Amino acid sequence: MIVHKFGGTSVGDAQRFASVADIVLTHHNQAGNPISAQTVVVVSAMSGVTNRLIGGARAAAEGRDSVYREIKAALLTRHLDVVETLLTRSRERLDVGGLVEDQLHELERFYRSIAMLGELTPRGSDAVTSFGEQLSCSVLAAVLRELGVRAQAVSATDLIVTDDSFGAAMPQVEATRQKLQEQIVPLLERGVIPVITGFVAATETGVTTTLGRGGSDFSAAIIGAGLDADEVWIWSDVDGILTADPNLVPHARTLTELSYAEASELAYFGADVLHPKTIQPVIERGIPLRIVNSFNPGHPGTLIVESPGADRELLPSIISTTGLSLIAIGSVDDSWALQMAARALQKLSEAGVDVLMFSQSFSEHSLNLIVREQDQGHCLKTLSREFENGQPDSPYNLGLKEQVATISVVGVPDWNGVSILSHAFSALGKLGTRVIAVAQAATEYNVSFCIPEDQVADAVCFLHRELGLETAVKHT
């Protein structure tokens, strides 16, 4: 059995849905491969949909009714375009089109409720963001049926049991395993391909939760572990885990084989194709995890196992993240204290703002925060309410400093006979990169830099070349 998980870019439009269906059929029908005899599919929302759903919910909480109605209408058009393009059977097209319309009418009802409340709670956010996966799951199952495959959409709210930590719920392993065995195994035995929503789950009482950012990968690992799958495949838009972003370094190399520990470290530092939480469920069951490219399905990708082969090529990786904002909050005098920093971070956590990096400067009496650009406005509003920024007698300063990016160099501390940290610092110094903040591991396995966003492309390319990754040699 293979669990195939497809991310948002893999189902970005009608053409991508058709490609995903072809990948599923190809692997499901592989002759002579016993692990392909049973197939489970886990699917994310279409690319960008989750952010639009959150944007609509925040607009509703702020009373901007026209904004959330426009978002609902755009989502309806986008999903119906896939239905109309790929579903030629009139009955299937009408049924799925009606289901899409019903789900988005329900979404608008949620938005109206949020508007009446005037607040977006974590529980409300989970309820709203779950719609993206519900929609893509229904559509993909129908596309597979259109191709003559027995497929059934299944909501993970009926499968994955979690606590009530809305926004980042944690699964209850045994309860989840029991539901998977009871509901998914019978479908597989009847030759049906289950198409399951990623990212979403539910409490024991049936209240919708989500598994947090990157939760679709986590869902696939949970489902794979609960079903004792032979392998879990994460389909993305790159050829596995690479030595650098291929959009910045076209000749970036694929890390062909990694240990669970190595992959966990890369994921922790922001490798977009893998979320840190994804690794743990497969470690516990010893299930191989493969990262593959739905845009290039013939590429073997990156295989993650407990014990990689001794002859594999071990390379460091440069992980870059753009679209970030640097926000500073502090006091106008010397009253800023550690508990104020803790207070700011706590409020942002409660508001669902993911802080990627922060630095506390007592000399400047401030806290610097790095957040995703789409969270910038929400972050500023949250902190402004908490610290009464803008009031005449407020002792605090709050504001956006600049648009930034992060670069992390991870793995192989003694690379080509030189400390990888020394290599990285030297390269950025030679290039003249303005380093805003640094986070360094004591183990010397990684270092992260915050730099201006407009310098990231040059910095990544230069680092890749200076580290010798274009002419790397084998290390064991």
Side-chain angles (χ1 to χ4, degrees):
M1 179 200 306
I2 299 179
V3 175
H4 295 270
K5 179 266 173 178
F6 295 93
T9 55
S10 296
V11 290
D13 54 28
Q15 180 182 356
R16 296 310 311 153
F17 268 94
S19 296
V20 164
D22 184 61
I23 289 171
V24 172
L25 263 62
T26 298
H27 285 275
H28 185 65
N29 294 330
Q30 279 182 342
N33 188 348
I35 70 170
S36 298
Q38 293 182 323
T39 300
V40 177
V41 174
V42 178
V43 64
S44 297
M46 294 178 72
S47 56
V49 165
T50 301
N51 286 338
R52 297 297 305 275
L53 290 168
I54 293 172
R58 290 174 178 169
E62 296 165 2
R64 295 182 287 133
D65 295 358
S66 62
V67 173
Y68 74 70
R69 290 197 181 102
E70 289 172 4
I71 288 173
K72 177 253 182 175
L75 293 177
L76 178 62
T77 299
R78 186 174 177 188
H79 287 84
L80 287 182
D81 177 66
V82 179
V83 171
E84 294 294 329
T85 302
L86 298 181
L87 302 182
T88 58
R89 299 176 186 172
S90 58
R91 178 62 183 271
E92 188 82 79
R93 186 172 65 247
L94 289 172
D95 286 349
V96 178
L99 179 62
V100 168
E101 290 179 351
D102 289 346
Q103 287 177 322
L104 286 169
H105 287 319
E106 181 70 5
L107 170 66
E108 187 170 1
R109 188 181 71 80
F110 269 93
Y111 281 157
R112 289 198 298 268
S113 298
I114 293 168
M116 291 180 63
L117 184 64
E119 178 186 5
L120 177 59
T121 65
R123 176 171 174 171
S125 179
D126 278 5
V128 165
T129 53
S130 70
F131 278 88
E133 275 71 19
Q134 304 286 1
L135 290 164
S136 60
C137 176
S138 299
V139 172
L140 181 57
V143 172
L144 288 169
R145 290 194 296 270
E146 182 83 8
L147 298 175
V149 178
R150 298 181 66 192
Q152 180 175 321
V154 182
S155 175
T157 56
D158 297 323
L159 301 173
I160 300 178
V161 182
T162 70
D163 61 16
D164 59 358
S165 301
F166 298 103
M170 291 303 296
Q172 297 178 5
V173 175
E174 289 307 317
T176 298
R177 182 177 179 83
Q178 182 177 346
K179 284 181 174 287
L180 287 164
Q181 293 289 328
E182 290 174 351
Q183 298 185 46
I184 299 303
V185 170
L187 292 177
L188 295 171
E189 290 174 344
R190 298 201 307 269
V192 176
I193 296 178
V195 181
I196 305 172
T197 54
F199 181 58
V200 301
T203 65
E204 286 184 318
T205 58
V207 179
T208 297
T209 60
T210 65
L211 301 176
R213 195 177 294 272
S216 288
D217 290 356
F218 192 24
S219 298
I222 293 167
I223 290 166
L227 293 172
D228 296 314
D230 294 282
E231 294 183 9
V232 174
W233 291 27
I234 306 294
W235 292 88
S236 65
D237 55 3
V238 293
D239 293 335
I241 300 176
L242 307 177
T243 54
D245 182 347
N247 295 311
L248 302 178
V249 183
H251 45 277
R253 304 173 66 184
T254 300
L255 307 181
T256 57
E257 195 170 356
L258 295 170
S259 69
Y260 290 136
E262 291 162 347
S264 295
E265 187 165 19
L266 287 167
Y268 179 81
F269 283 93
D272 287 340
V273 295
L274 188 63
H275 193 276
K277 292 187 293 187
T278 305
I279 305 292
Q280 192 57 41
V282 296
I283 290 176
E284 292 173 356
R285 293 280 170 178
I287 299 171
L289 181 70
R290 190 178 292 274
I291 313 298
V292 276
N293 188 354
S294 65
F295 292 77
N296 184 21
H299 194 284
T302 300
L303 179 64
I304 302 168
V305 292
E306 183 176 2
S307 300
D311 61 344
R312 52 101 180 228
E313 192 172 23
L314 185 58
L315 306 171
S317 182
I318 302 166
I319 300 167
S320 54
T321 305
T322 57
L324 308 179
S325 298
L326 179 63
I327 292 171
I329 181 167
S331 59
V332 297
D333 50 29
D334 61 357
S335 62
W336 186 260
L338 190 60
Q339 61 264 33
M340 295 176 184
R343 178 175 150 199
L345 292 169
Q346 178 66 30
K347 286 299 175 182
L348 292 175
S349 176
E350 292 172 357
V353 177
D354 192 12
V355 178
L356 303 182
M357 185 188 293
F358 65 88
S359 63
Q360 167 74 72
S361 174
F362 286 109
S363 62
E364 296 180 358
H365 313 298
S366 65
L367 174 70
N368 293 320
L369 304 156
I370 299 174
V371 302
R372 290 180 176 85
E373 194 171 349
Q374 63 262 31
D375 290 333
Q376 171 188 305
H378 189 45
C379 176
L380 289 169
K381 288 177 183 177
T382 299
L383 293 176
S384 182
R385 285 194 299 267
E386 178 64 19
F387 291 92
E388 299 178 343
N389 187 59
Q391 299 298 318
D393 57 348
S394 174
Y396 303 109
N397 282 326
L398 169 66
L400 171 68
K401 294 185 73 172
E402 60 184 304
Q403 302 303 318
V404 297
T406 60
I407 295 177
S408 299
V409 183
V410 184
V412 197
D414 184 24
W415 172 246
N416 283 344
V418 180
S419 163
I420 197 168
L421 302 188
S422 300
H423 244 141
F425 278 107
S426 174
L428 292 180
K430 187 185 298 186
L431 185 63
T433 304
R434 181 166 70 90
V435 177
I436 300 166
V438 178
Q440 179 180 336
T443 60
E444 298 191 2
Y445 270 90
N446 56 72
V447 61
S448 297
F449 304 93
C450 174
I451 66 173
E453 186 172 56
D454 60 3
Q455 296 184 19
V456 70
D458 289 342
V460 170
C461 289
F462 192 76
L463 267 172
H464 198 266
R465 186 166 59 251
E466 286 292 297
L467 290 176
L469 291 173
E470 296 173 19
T471 57
V473 296
K474 285 191 176 182
H475 284 246
T476 57

